[in-house]
C-alpha cells in the first residue's frame, strides 16, 4: 500500500484521501486511486530524474497530439507522478490483432516525427528500456551463439537517420485500447531522443513474440503508412530490439501473463524471439 509520505503528497494534490487503492501490477504500483468522483493513477518512480523524464515526455508528446494520459502533478521527493486514468484495456489478445499492430507502428512514426528541443532535458537513447543492462544479463547466463552473433553485428553496424522523440519501451502492454481504438500510450519513463528504429524494433519484436514473426510486418506497415516512406535500417533495429530482452525472456514472460497471455510460456517466447532475430541477421 501507499506509505505515509506518498499518501500525504496525494492528499495535498487531490485535496482528499482516496476511497480505494488498487495495485495495477501484481497487486502493487502503479496504483489506481479511486475518489468519490474521479480516478487517478499514481506512478512510483525510482528517482527524481525518472520523474522528470516522464513528465517532460508526456508534456511534449501531448502537445503534438499523441494520445497520452493527462499529467495531474509530479513530485521529485517523493518521486511520484499522478496522472489521469484512461478508460480501456492493455490486455493483449490471443489472436493476431493486425489493426492494433498497425496503429502501434503508426504511433511510433508519429512520435519520432516530434523534434526534441535542444536543452529540453530528455536523454539520448540508443535502444529501448535503457535502464536495464541486458549485456550484463547475457554475460551472467550460459552463452547462446545466436545472441553472441547478434551482439557482434550490433557493435559493428552504424545506423543512419535523424533523431526524434522516442517512447523507449513501446510494446502492447503500454498501450490502452478500446476495441481497436488507441486511447493512450502510457509509461514514458524510458523516453528520450533517438532514432526511429528504437521504438519500431521494440514494437516489432513484441509483435513477433506474441503472435509469430509475420506479425512484425503489421507494425512496419503502419509505420510506413504514417511516415510516407520506409524506415531506415529495419533489420539492424530488429537486432537491437531482440537484444533488448532478457536472454531467457525473464520477467517479460510475467509481464505478458499480466496482460492476459498465460499461453505465452517462456520456451514459446524464446523460440519466437530467436526466429525474429535470425530473420533480422539474415537480412543484414
Amino acid at each position: 500500500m501507499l506509505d505515509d509520505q506518498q499518501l500525504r503528497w496525494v492528499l495535498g494534490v487531490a485535496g482528499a484521501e482516496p476511497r480505494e487503492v488498487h495495485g495495477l501490477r501484481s497487486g502493487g504500483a502503479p496504483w489506481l486511486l479511486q475518489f468519490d468522483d474521479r480516478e487517478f493513477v499514481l506512478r512510483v518512480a525510482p528517482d527524481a530524474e525518472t520523474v522528470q523524464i516522464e513528465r517532460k515526455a508526456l508534456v511534449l508528446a501531448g502537445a503534438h497530439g499523441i494520445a497520452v494520459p493527462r499529467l495531474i502533478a509530479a513530485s521529485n521527493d517523493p518521486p511520484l507522478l499522478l496522472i489521469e486514468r484512461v478508460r480501456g484495456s492493455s490486455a493483449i489478445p490471443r489472436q493476431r490483432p493486425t489493426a492494433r499492430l498497425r496503429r502501434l507502428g503508426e504511433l511510433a512514426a508519429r512520435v519520432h516525427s516530434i523534434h526534441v528541443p535542444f536543452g529540453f532535458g530528455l536523454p539520448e537513447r540508443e535502444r529501448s528500456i535503457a535502464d536495464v543492462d541486458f549485456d550484463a544479463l547475457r554475460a551472467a547466463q550460459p552463452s547462446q551463439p545466436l545472441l553472441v552473433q547478434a551482439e557482434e553485428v550490433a557493435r559493428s553496424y552504424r545506423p543512419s537517420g535523424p533523431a526524434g522523440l522516442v517512447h523507449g519501451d513501446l510494446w502492447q502492454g503500454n498501450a490502452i485500447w478500446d476495441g481497436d481504438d488507441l486511447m493512450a500510450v502510457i509509461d514514458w519513463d524510458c523516453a528520450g531522443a533517438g532514432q526511429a528504429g528504437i521504438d519500431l524494433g521494440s514494437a516489432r519484436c513484441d509483435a513477433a513474440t506474441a503472435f509469430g514473426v509475420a506479425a512484425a510486418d503489421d507494425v512496419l506497415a503502419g509505420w510506413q503508412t504514417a511516415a510516407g516512406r520506409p524506415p531506415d535500417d529495419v533489420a539492424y533495429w530488429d537486432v537491437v530490439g531482440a537484444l533488448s530482452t532478457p536472454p531467457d525472456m525473464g520477467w517479460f514472460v510475467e509481464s505478458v501473463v499480466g496482460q492476459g497471455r498465460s499461453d505465452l510460456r517462456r520456451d514459446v517466447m524464446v523460440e519466437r524471439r530467436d526466429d525474429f532475430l535470425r530473420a533480422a541477421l539474415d537480412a543484414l
Side-chain angles (χ1 to χ4, degrees):
M1 299 298 292
L2 303 185
D3 63 31
D4 289 343
Q5 187 181 27
Q6 294 168 344
L7 189 58
R8 285 196 300 272
W9 183 78
V10 169
L11 178 60
V13 171
E17 287 192 19
R19 175 171 46 82
E20 293 186 33
V21 178
H22 300 284
L24 293 175
R25 289 186 182 160
S26 302
W31 303 98
L32 173 61
L33 309 183
Q34 295 179 308
F35 296 85
D36 290 336
D37 58 348
R38 51 198 165 148
E39 292 182 334
F40 299 127
V41 172
L42 183 70
R43 286 181 50 73
V44 181
D47 49 45
E49 180 182 6
T50 305
V51 168
Q52 292 307 313
I53 289 172
E54 181 151 11
R55 181 187 67 80
K56 292 174 182 178
L58 284 170
V59 170
L60 184 60
H64 286 81
I66 303 299
V68 298
R70 183 169 61 94
L71 177 67
I72 307 301
S75 166
N76 288 337
D77 184 20
L80 301 170
L81 297 105
L82 192 67
I83 62 176
E84 69 170 344
R85 185 198 182 180
V86 178
R87 296 291 179 178
S89 172
S90 60
I92 301 173
R94 297 205 173 199
Q95 299 300 315
R96 176 177 167 182
T98 296
R100 286 190 179 191
L101 296 177
R102 284 175 175 262
R103 288 294 306 278
L104 277 183
E106 293 171 5
L107 183 281
R110 289 184 58 212
V111 168
H112 187 259
S113 71
I114 299 171
H115 171 67
V116 179
F118 179 77
F120 189 70
L122 288 179
E124 294 183 3
R125 301 297 195 194
E126 296 182 350
R127 61 174 176 83
S128 61
I129 321 178
D131 58 340
V132 175
D133 189 344
F134 291 104
D135 291 341
L137 293 181
R138 287 190 293 274
Q141 294 193 17
S143 177
Q144 299 182 40
L146 180 65
L147 298 182
V148 171
Q149 180 187 358
E151 289 175 327
E152 292 171 351
V153 168
R155 281 195 295 267
S156 63
Y157 196 95
R158 292 294 176 267
S160 59
L165 180 65
V166 294
H167 177 276
D169 187 14
L170 190 61
W171 72 294
Q172 295 168 89
N174 280 339
I176 305 296
W177 302 91
D178 181 6
D180 287 336
D181 293 330
L182 181 58
M183 306 304 292
V185 180
I186 61 173
D187 293 9
W188 290 76
D189 51 306
C190 294
Q195 294 188 35
I198 294 172
D199 283 344
L200 180 61
S202 174
R204 278 173 51 81
C205 186
D206 173 57
T209 56
F211 307 107
V213 173
D217 288 339
D218 295 337
V219 180
L220 178 61
W223 198 99
Q224 292 182 155
T225 296
R229 63 174 181 85
D232 299 311
D233 305 306
V234 174
Y236 166 77
W237 289 111
D238 284 353
V239 170
V240 173
L243 288 174
S244 299
T245 65
D248 62 354
M249 295 307 289
W251 74 91
F252 279 35
V253 180
E254 299 172 6
S255 296
V256 297
V257 168
Q259 298 294 339
R261 290 298 303 275
S262 58
D263 60 308
L264 290 178
R265 304 183 310 274
R266 188 178 307 275
D267 59 328
V268 172
M269 293 189 68
V270 169
E271 180 179 6
R272 289 178 175 176
R273 189 271 313 276
D274 289 355
D275 287 345
F276 175 73
L277 180 53
R278 287 189 190 94
L281 292 171
D282 287 346
L284 286 171

